[in-house]
């Protein structure tokens, strides 16, 4: 159900249907430059261009297939969490999106955050991990195991900081 929030004090049911993504079940999305990347559980990572009017155009599949549950991107790197394969990364360029590296992860995949060529992954009760991407290789550089279930992660590359969100609060490493 969609709501029209033009007048926030009086929301009403929207009269136009939501964006159709070709029947895909979209779980997450991220925006970078002039594109939207969508995590589709049943179709992998999908891409749509953002038109001059703000409408999504040129909706299409990418070469990243699988059961994608989370996605995030920087200007140079896209990271997707595949519930069966783990962390999948790709360079974001003008060329079609293709897998560059995969890091197998056997954990609850709760969140992903990308800053530059660094990727943080929330691993639920197993904590969080940070990966550096160089060439075509993902290298785990940090692993934290806070006394909580990690549900969200965020990176700040300029200070090498990792924040993890839990139901009990936020911890910064």
């Amino acid at each position: 159900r969609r709501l029209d929030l033009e007048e926030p004090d009086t929301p009403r049911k929207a009269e136009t249907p939501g964006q159709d993504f070709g029947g895909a079940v979209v779980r997450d999305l991220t925006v970078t430059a002039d594109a939207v990347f969508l995590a589709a559980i049943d179709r992998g990572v999908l891409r749509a261009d953002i038109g001059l009017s703000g409408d999504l155009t040129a909706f299409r599949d990418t070469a990243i297939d699988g059961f994608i549950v989370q996605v995030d991107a920087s200007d140079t790197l896209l990271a997707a969490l595949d519930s069966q394969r783990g962390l999948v990364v790709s360079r974001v360029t003008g060329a079609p999106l293709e897998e560059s590296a995969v890091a197998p992860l056997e954990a609850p995949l709760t969140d992903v955050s990308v800053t530059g060529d660094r990727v943080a992954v929330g691993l639920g009760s197993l904590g969080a991990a940070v990966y550096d991407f160089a060439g075509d290789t993902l290298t785990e550089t940090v692993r934290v195991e806070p006394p909580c279930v990690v549900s969200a992660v965020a990176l700040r590359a300029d200070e090498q900081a990792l924040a993890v969100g839990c139901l009990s609060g936020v911890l910064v490493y």
Side-chain angles (χ1 to χ4, degrees):
R1 180 175 153 177
R2 290 193 48 204
L3 296 177
D4 181 344
L5 299 175
E6 185 175 346
E7 296 177 32
D9 294 335
T10 56
R12 58 187 171 88
K13 186 176 177 184
E15 297 188 21
T16 58
Q19 177 74 42
D20 179 20
F21 299 113
V25 178
V26 175
R27 168 96 189 255
D28 191 24
L29 63 89
T30 191
V31 176
T32 178
D34 59 353
V36 174
F37 294 98
L38 306 148
I41 293 173
D42 54 343
R43 291 195 24 211
V45 175
L46 308 175
R47 178 184 178 144
D49 296 331
I50 302 172
L52 295 176
S53 65
D55 292 337
L56 298 182
T57 63
F59 173 76
R60 59 199 176 278
D61 293 308
T62 68
I64 299 176
D65 201 7
F67 296 92
I68 307 300
V69 294
Q70 295 284 327
V71 65
D72 194 27
S74 67
D75 291 340
T76 59
L77 188 68
L78 178 129
L81 296 181
D82 183 318
S83 64
Q84 295 182 340
R85 295 186 299 149
L87 173 61
V88 179
V89 298
S90 173
R91 289 278 177 210
V92 177
T93 63
L97 210 59
E98 294 183 9
E99 288 184 13
S100 298
V102 176
L105 297 171
E106 293 191 23
L109 304 175
T110 59
D111 195 19
V112 64
S113 176
V114 178
T115 300
D117 286 342
R118 300 186 82 206
V119 181
V121 180
L123 303 171
S125 59
L126 298 179
V130 176
Y131 291 85
D132 285 340
F133 181 66
D136 287 337
T137 305
L138 278 166
T139 304
E140 184 177 317
T141 57
V142 175
R143 173 77 64 139
V144 297
E145 296 179 6
C148 61
V149 176
V150 175
S151 59
V153 292
L155 279 173
R156 183 166 177 164
D158 59 337
E159 296 179 15
Q160 305 270 327
L162 167 66
V164 296
C166 308
L167 293 178
S168 57
V170 176
L171 300 161
V172 178
Y173 295 90

